[in-house]
């Protein structure tokens, strides 16, 4: 076995700390940085509402903060709980990065926008979150600090975890028809594409601050569900409904397509390509 101190490659590898390591994005980040010295911390290893634990040396040179409260409806009932994770957790991640002299990437969301526009949101557009979740994520962007990369993305899906692709595959196998909202438009983004774009941002040492990194193209949830059934070969009809029919606790933006206006912004593949790649890797 080769030891780190005799392995010339090990010396060049960065210690990359991933928080929320068992989430959809946390797993994809581990894959995208697999050639580095990744320290992956799930909630059991670090509950980010608490100060950082003692870490094994060496200190990280990069912190990828993927831990978050992502239950959008649940945040309406427990906004303090959501804030403790999203705002408090990001403050702790920033503290850790500062103490280690590491760079920080914090992830944020299209739900910081109110969705009143009908053309893509760019980084300089003013946020105005409609939900408790969106408010905590906007505050978290501030908590990340000016030296962080703040990556806003949208409608994440992956082969594991809780997401619309997995939900539709399950429902499509059980039912002949599903009702899906057709009055919210966004960019369904495959986490592996987001993780690769994040790596491009970091490795290219692009300027810090807010970046919009989301899949090319846009659609409504109903259009996305139709594409899932079509690509997966499932004969299930999609009945298009309005958000009002679902009466969910949290309001969502009607339009939250994200694009970057920043020079050199990493470009992600189209959401249909992300869906194809995800379905090819998913356990069915
Ligand atoms: N999902 C989306 O559609 C979406 C869209 C835009 C932006 N984002 C942002 O992208 C990032 C990653 O989201 P995701 O989709 O990967 O979410 P996810 O699958 O829900 O993963 C979040 C992870 O954070 C962990 N976590 C929750 N509370 C924690 C705590 N107190 N301490 C440590 N870990 C904790 C969760 O652990 P448990 O499993 O134990 O709860 C989970 O593993 C988040 O910042 C999210 O706001 C997500």
């Amino acid at each position: 076995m080769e030891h780190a101190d005799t392995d010339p490659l090990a010396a060049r590898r960065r210690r990359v700390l991933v928080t929320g390591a068992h989430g959809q994005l946390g797993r994809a980040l581990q894959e995208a940085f697999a050639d580095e010295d990744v320290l992956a911390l799930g909630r059991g290893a670090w509950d980010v509402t608490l100060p950082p634990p003692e870490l094994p040396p060496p200190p990280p040179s990069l912190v990828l903060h993927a831990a978050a409260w992502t239950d959008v409806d649940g945040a309406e009932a427990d906004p303090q709980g959501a804030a403790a994770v999203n705002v408090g957790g990001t403050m702790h991640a920033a503290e850790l990065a500062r103490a280690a002299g590491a760079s920080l990437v914090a992830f944020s969301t299209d739900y910081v926008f109110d969705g009143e526009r009908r053309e893509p949101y760019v980084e300089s557009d003013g946020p105005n979150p409609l939900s408790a979740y969106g408010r905590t994520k906007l505050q978290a962007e501030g908590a990340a600090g000016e030296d962080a990369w703040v990556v806003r993305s949208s409608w994440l899906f992956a082969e594991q975890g809780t997401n619309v692709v997995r939900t539709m595959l399950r429902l499509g196998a059980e039912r002949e028809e599903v009702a899906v909202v057709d009055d919210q438009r966004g960019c369904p983004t495959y986490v592996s594409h987001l993780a690769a774009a994040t790596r491009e941002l970091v490795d290219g040492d692009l300027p810090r601050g807010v970046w919009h990194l989301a899949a090319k193209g846009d659609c409504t949830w109903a259009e996305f569900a139709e594409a899932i059934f079509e690509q997966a070969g499932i004969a299930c009809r999609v009945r298009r409904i309005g958000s009002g029919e679902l009466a969910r606790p949290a309001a969502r933006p009607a339009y939250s397509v994200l694009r970057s206006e920043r020079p050199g912004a990493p470009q992600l593949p189209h959401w249909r390509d992300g869906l194809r790649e995800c379905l090819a890797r998913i356990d069915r």
Side-chain angles (χ1 to χ4, degrees):
M1 192 181 105
E2 225 161 359
H3 290 285
D5 52 0
T6 59
D7 175 2
L9 282 181
R12 288 208 298 269
R13 291 194 305 168
R14 293 172 285 193
R15 164 61 60 89
V16 178
L17 189 152
V18 179
T19 70
H22 305 315
Q24 316 188 76
L25 180 59
R27 287 170 193 254
L29 289 169
Q30 290 180 61
E31 264 186 40
F33 287 83
D35 58 326
E36 305 281 3
D37 174 18
V38 175
L39 181 61
L41 303 182
R43 191 204 285 253
W46 181 18
D47 175 338
V48 297
T49 61
L50 304 171
E54 187 124 338
L55 297 174
S61 57
L62 177 63
V63 176
L64 303 173
H65 180 48
W69 175 304
T70 55
D71 177 357
V72 177
D73 289 320
E76 296 298 313
D78 186 5
Q80 280 92 356
V85 180
N86 291 348
V87 188
T90 305
M91 277 171 58
H92 288 141
E95 265 167 42
L96 182 148
R98 231 180 343 265
S103 302
L104 172 68
V105 182
F107 293 91
S108 190
T109 170
D110 53 327
Y111 286 6
V112 298
F113 293 112
D114 61 19
E116 291 298 317
R117 292 177 64 132
R118 287 298 173 270
E119 55 191 74
Y121 284 95
V122 294
E123 289 89 346
S124 60
D125 286 323
N128 181 32
L130 300 175
S131 62
Y133 167 76
R135 285 188 289 277
T136 62
K137 294 297 292 184
L138 183 59
Q139 271 184 276
E141 292 184 358
E146 286 180 359
D147 291 339
W149 285 288
V150 173
V151 172
R152 289 191 189 133
S153 194
S154 72
W155 296 21
L156 298 187
F157 62 93
E159 44 275 11
Q160 331 84 6
T162 306
N163 61 67
V164 68
V165 174
R166 282 167 46 95
T167 303
M168 288 302 148
L169 292 178
R170 180 171 48 79
L171 294 178
E174 295 164 4
R175 302 181 189 178
E176 287 181 355
E177 183 180 273
V178 291
V180 186
V181 298
D182 196 36
D183 56 3
Q184 294 168 29
R185 180 166 291 276
C187 310
T189 301
Y190 180 40
V191 284
S192 298
H193 291 165
L194 175 58
T198 301
R199 177 133 197 195
E200 240 183 283
L201 194 66
V202 169
D203 287 357
D205 201 21
L206 290 164
R208 310 299 165 108
V210 175
W211 289 85
H212 285 184
L213 301 184
K216 214 175 253 130
D218 59 73
C219 60
T220 66
W221 288 112
E223 289 164 357
F224 191 42
E226 282 169 354
I228 295 166
F229 292 145
E230 190 187 311
Q231 285 196 22
I234 294 173
C236 181
R237 285 186 310 277
V238 172
R239 185 162 60 83
R240 296 176 176 228
I241 60 169
S243 307
E245 284 184 62
L246 285 186
R248 295 173 83 175
R252 271 96 170 151
Y255 181 97
S256 60
V257 176
L258 299 181
R259 291 291 166 249
S260 182
E261 63 186 347
R262 300 189 66 172
Q267 300 298 311
L268 279 72
H270 196 279
W271 62 263
R272 286 187 190 275
D273 297 324
L275 177 58
R276 202 166 295 117
E277 282 182 43
C278 180
L279 288 173
R281 293 181 69 187
I282 216 158
D283 268 347
R284 284 197 272 151

